[in-house]
């Protein structure tokens, strides 16, 4: 799976992508991540990427030229859908992540300011996605949310292949939540681990876990 991420803040991705599971998946070549600085595509002599909105109003709008050129560039290497992260997009869900994990790649557009020029939305974006009904300062965190949730569904990314199949909200669990988890010690501040879990009786454990799904 190849992710191309278009942003004016490329460094915001560094620390996250250089940690743990995502880093390992990248090293193992299970995913490929390319971060593109939209500003580098600007033909403006000051590398401007935003301007005041036509018709007036507050805030700045990202201009079409740098975005257009950046998307066309990423397209050369990535044939997947172009996804714009925006609070007015379709809400992201686990079911959606499962569908997207089957694709060969995708291109994320991270917006800033008040938004991006509508002509780009009308012509170059395949899908608009929101990660929830709240407004963030930009699409960078939402892009990381999608990247993380989609990557962990790719076979081999998680240690144990089936460990995502019992996730909360996954299709396999019919949208139910997970059962409670316990680890050592068997007693912590007077609170004991349920007896059935230390019994070694697999059938009873499975039944108990099923009974605990909310
Ligand atoms: N950009 C700003 N807020 C967002 C949200 N909730 N989801 C996706 N992109 C966003």
């Amino acid at each position: 799976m190849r992710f191309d991420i278009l942003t004016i803040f490329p460094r915001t991705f560094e620390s996250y992508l250089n940690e743990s599971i995502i880093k390992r998946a990248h090293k193992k070549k299970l995913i490929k991540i390319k971060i593109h600085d939209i500003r580098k595509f600007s033909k403006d002599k000051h590398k401007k990427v935003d301007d005041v909105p036509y018709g007036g109003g507050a805030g700045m709008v990202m201009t079409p030229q740098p975005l257009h050129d950046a998307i066309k560039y990423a397209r050369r290497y990535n044939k997947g859908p172009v996804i714009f992260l925006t609070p007015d997009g379709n809400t992201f869900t686990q079911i959606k992540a499962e569908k997207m994990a089957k694709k060969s790649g995708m291109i994320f557009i991270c917006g800033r300011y008040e938004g991006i020029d509508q002509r780009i939305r009308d012509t170059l974006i395949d899908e608009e996605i929101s990660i929830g009904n709240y407004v963030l300062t930009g699409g960078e965190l939402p892009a990381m949310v999608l990247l993380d949730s989609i990557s962990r569904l790719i076979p081999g990314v998680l240690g144990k292949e089936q460990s995502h199949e019992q996730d909360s909200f996954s299709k396999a669990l019919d949208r139910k939540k997970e059962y409670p988890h316990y680890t050592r010690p068997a007693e912590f501040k007077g609170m004991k681990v349920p007896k059935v879990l230390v019994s070694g009786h697999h059938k009873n454990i499975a039944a108990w876990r099923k009974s605990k799904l909310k």
Side-chain angles (χ1 to χ4, degrees):
M1 164 90 62
R2 176 173 170 131
F3 296 95
D4 284 84
I5 303 174
L6 280 47
T7 171
I8 53 166
F9 295 111
R11 281 184 303 158
T12 57
F13 290 87
E14 273 168 26
S15 67
Y16 189 72
L17 298 181
N18 281 312
E19 294 296 335
S20 72
I21 293 177
I22 297 299
K23 185 185 185 176
R24 203 182 61 204
H26 200 248
K27 261 191 174 166
K28 282 166 78 183
K29 297 197 166 51
L30 295 168
I31 57 174
K32 190 169 194 157
I33 305 164
K34 292 282 170 193
I35 311 289
H36 307 277
D37 185 351
I38 296 168
R39 202 173 291 282
K40 285 195 182 150
F41 293 87
S42 174
K43 291 195 171 122
D44 177 81
K45 61 176 182 291
H46 303 296
K47 294 278 164 207
K48 227 169 108 99
V49 288
D50 63 320
D51 214 325
V52 293
Y54 273 115
M60 300 290 268
V61 177
M62 288 176 76
T63 54
Q65 179 275 317
L67 277 167
H68 171 275
D69 289 11
I71 294 169
K72 291 285 173 191
Y73 178 80
R75 252 274 163 269
R76 287 202 244 151
Y77 306 95
N78 194 325
K79 302 294 173 215
V82 178
I83 293 159
F84 176 46
L85 288 314
T86 175
D88 57 355
N90 301 321
T91 309
F92 190 59
T93 61
Q94 187 65 25
I95 305 276
K96 183 94 194 135
E98 284 165 10
K99 281 188 190 141
M100 291 171 88
K102 296 193 174 97
K103 300 202 179 291
S104 64
M106 58 201 70
I107 301 171
F108 291 150
I109 315 298
C110 306
R112 280 268 154 176
Y113 313 111
E114 292 307 299
I116 67 173
D117 191 284
Q118 186 62 33
R119 290 164 290 187
I120 294 295
R121 291 175 83 157
D122 290 343
T123 56
L124 294 176
I125 304 293
D126 296 309
E127 189 168 359
E128 302 189 333
I129 292 185
S130 161
I131 62 161
N133 288 335
Y134 41 83
V135 182
L136 301 165
T137 54
E140 283 75 13
L141 287 169
M144 280 188 253
V145 167
L146 264 69
L147 179 117
D148 188 283
S149 60
I150 293 165
S151 296
R152 63 186 289 286
L153 297 174
I154 296 168
V157 168
L158 294 184
K160 244 193 183 174
E161 261 242 37
Q162 35 99 273
S163 60
H164 62 72
E165 278 167 16
Q166 290 183 17
D167 289 344
S168 306
F169 314 117
S170 88
K171 263 201 253 168
L173 272 182
D174 205 14
R175 293 172 172 270
K176 285 194 175 129
K177 297 214 175 119
E178 283 206 9
Y179 51 76
H181 302 278
Y182 295 89
T183 185
R184 275 182 265 268
E187 188 175 332
F188 177 68
K189 292 191 188 290
M191 296 174 283
K192 290 191 177 127
V193 169
K195 264 203 190 107
V196 60
L197 296 182
V198 291
S199 68
H201 194 297
H202 299 302
K203 261 195 178 161
N204 288 353
I205 292 172
W208 179 86
R209 284 180 169 165
K210 207 169 167 202
S211 77
K212 292 289 174 188
L213 294 174
K214 285 184 207 112

